[in-house]
Amino acid sequence: MAQGRIGLWHLALSNRNWHAHGKPQPVTSHSNALHPSLQGQRFVFASAASNLDIWSVPLDADQARVTGVPERLTGHAAEDFCPSVSMDGRTLVFLSKRAGGTSLWKKSLPGGREIELGRTPVPSNRLKISADGKWAVYRVMEQSDPQIAASPFRKQAIYATRLDTGETRRVCVDCGAPTHITPDGRLVLYETGSTIAKLGALRVATGEKWEFLQHSHHPLRAARVSPGGAWLALHLNRGLDGRQIYVVPFLDASPTPERNWTPITESTGAHEEPWWSPNGRYLYYLSDRDGWRCVWAQKFDARTGRAGEPVPIQHFHQARRSPLSFVKRDPLYVGLSVAQDRLVVTLAEITSNIWLADIGVAR
């Protein structure tokens, strides 16, 4: 295996002691060769490939009702991921690996052209658009010492880009991974880079930042403020024990004790990446409660802070096209984002062929 690709190799064994004889030799040049079956010198294997694109599901988000079939929004051979859509559903931003490196792209919906807004020479992700669709923020992993090329990536800077001009500036030298721009546009919420991630807030106008929420044992992820500004949804990462969604009184990014947090989902399974409907009456999220990574929703009562029973919104019960379930990518790359008329996600489309070859001949 090299650079994340899987190949098939041949290693001769001694028929006397079954020790290796010679060096391993490649028998295929296919980028992802899987499941070989050998008989004599002849073998068959599968060659699989995946392509990451942005998809949209037509949706009446305020009623939790799907209104159409999923449609592809991007179709480039390179990876497109981390989408984020404005509340009116008219402006989409996403990251792409086109032309090498990572670049920020914008697309007007429905059916507008795609425009590259800029490239980042170092790893970047966690892209989030403002509710009004005018600007976006993302994390850039920067070297601790820019003068030393081999210095490690230690600083988690946040950059902001105006979507009309492409003007970009660094708004925080070392904050963490942005998860949301509050509906009023005043604050950027982020996850700190600590081992047990806390939640922080950045006041973009002044550069002031502070940490306001933490759990005693587990990292806090994917924090999003409700449209009315009264509630915060997040998921608690319990590691192998699962991920659970909570709602917390927001209180303008002030500390809230754990006893005032309300669980929305069960503690077992993976329930993550919550997102509010425009009217704040539904919480959407990714969940594997039916054995697949699908989109679910629960009705939310802003007066009591309680949620109703989970209902399925969009199933992805197939290996061919799924929210990165079969390419082992973190759900943050799925970029579940909800607008008034659609939800957007990254889907991996997997194709595979069966090959027949002989050892020493196949390449």
Side-chain angles (χ1 to χ4, degrees):
M1 182 187 298
Q3 296 181 346
R5 299 181 181 275
I6 301 172
L8 296 181
W9 292 65
H10 170 252
L11 177 63
L13 299 176
S14 167
N15 57 11
R16 291 178 297 177
N17 56 20
W18 299 105
H19 289 176
H21 180 68
K23 296 181 179 181
Q25 300 294 327
V27 295
T28 73
S29 60
H30 293 75
S31 59
N32 284 289
L34 306 166
H35 308 303
S37 179
L38 177 68
Q39 185 173 9
Q41 293 294 107
R42 176 158 289 192
F43 69 103
V44 294
F45 64 95
S47 177
S50 64
N51 187 42
L52 274 59
D53 286 313
I54 312 302
W55 288 71
S56 170
V57 178
L59 177 74
D60 180 351
D62 286 339
Q63 300 297 324
R65 182 172 61 88
V66 173
T67 59
V69 298
E71 60 175 328
R72 189 193 303 268
L73 297 181
T74 67
H76 199 274
E79 292 187 354
D80 298 329
F81 56 97
C82 284
S84 187
V85 66
S86 59
M87 189 168 290
D88 64 5
R90 296 295 173 262
T91 305
L92 172 75
V93 292
F94 60 95
L95 297 175
S96 179
K97 295 290 187 180
R98 306 176 193 189
T102 302
S103 53
L104 171 62
W105 289 73
K106 177 182 75 170
K107 182 182 179 72
S108 297
L109 300 176
R113 66 190 185 98
E114 298 169 10
I115 301 173
E116 184 180 11
L117 295 178
R119 300 183 183 181
T120 62
V122 293
S124 60
N125 56 25
R126 301 298 188 96
L127 176 66
K128 291 293 175 283
I129 195 172
S130 61
D132 59 13
K134 294 182 178 180
W135 56 294
V137 294
Y138 53 95
R139 176 179 66 174
V140 175
M141 303 295 290
E142 296 187 327
Q143 293 171 334
S144 56
D145 187 346
Q147 303 303 317
I148 304 176
S151 66
F153 296 114
R154 295 187 183 276
K155 294 184 178 180
Q156 299 189 42
I158 296 178
Y159 282 74
T161 296
R162 285 186 53 178
L163 301 182
D164 56 348
T165 66
E167 176 188 353
T168 297
R169 65 188 180 98
R170 187 169 60 185
V171 293
C172 185
V173 174
D174 191 14
C175 278
T179 64
H180 196 214
I181 301 172
T182 56
D184 58 16
R186 294 187 304 112
L187 302 178
V188 173
L189 304 187
Y190 62 90
E191 303 164 3
T192 64
S194 52
T195 302
I196 301 179
K198 308 171 187 177
L199 294 184
L202 169 68
R203 200 179 306 278
V204 179
T206 64
E208 177 190 7
K209 66 174 183 176
W210 66 96
E211 296 173 2
F212 70 95
L213 204 66
Q214 67 181 84
H215 188 268
S216 55
H217 296 92
H218 303 296
L220 303 181
R221 306 289 188 190
R224 276 104 202 205
V225 178
S226 64
W231 295 97
L232 181 73
L234 56 89
H235 77 249
L236 193 70
N237 188 347
R238 301 181 185 276
L240 296 177
D241 292 330
R243 289 170 287 284
Q244 185 176 16
I245 292 175
Y246 281 78
V247 292
V248 180
F250 184 52
L251 305 176
D252 202 27
S254 296
T256 303
E258 288 181 35
R259 64 177 179 273
N260 293 336
W261 303 10
T262 303
I264 297 299
T265 64
E266 56 270 30
S267 60
T268 57
H271 317 291
E272 50 207 335
E273 297 295 315
W275 203 272
W276 297 93
S277 64
N279 65 2
R281 294 179 182 174
Y282 283 91
L283 264 177
Y284 295 84
Y285 54 91
L286 297 172
S287 174
D288 67 353
R289 60 166 45 91
D290 63 359
W292 301 77
R293 183 181 288 170
C294 302
V295 179
W296 292 70
Q298 288 180 238
K299 196 168 186 178
F300 181 76
D301 188 335
R303 296 171 300 174
T304 64
R306 302 292 177 178
E309 293 298 314
V311 294
I313 298 299
Q314 181 65 48
H315 288 301
F316 296 104
H317 291 183
Q318 53 179 315
R320 179 179 176 86
R321 189 180 298 143
S322 74
L324 312 189
S325 305
F326 293 91
V327 294
K328 304 301 182 184
R329 292 289 186 88
D330 192 287
L332 72 89
Y333 291 96
V334 176
L336 173 65
S337 183
V338 176
Q340 63 183 13
D341 63 348
R342 70 182 71 236
L343 66 84
V344 297
V345 290
T346 304
L347 298 182
E349 191 163 34
I350 299 176
T351 57
S352 180
N353 293 302
I354 305 298
W355 294 79
L356 175 66
D358 294 316
I359 293 179
V361 177
R363 286 292 183 272

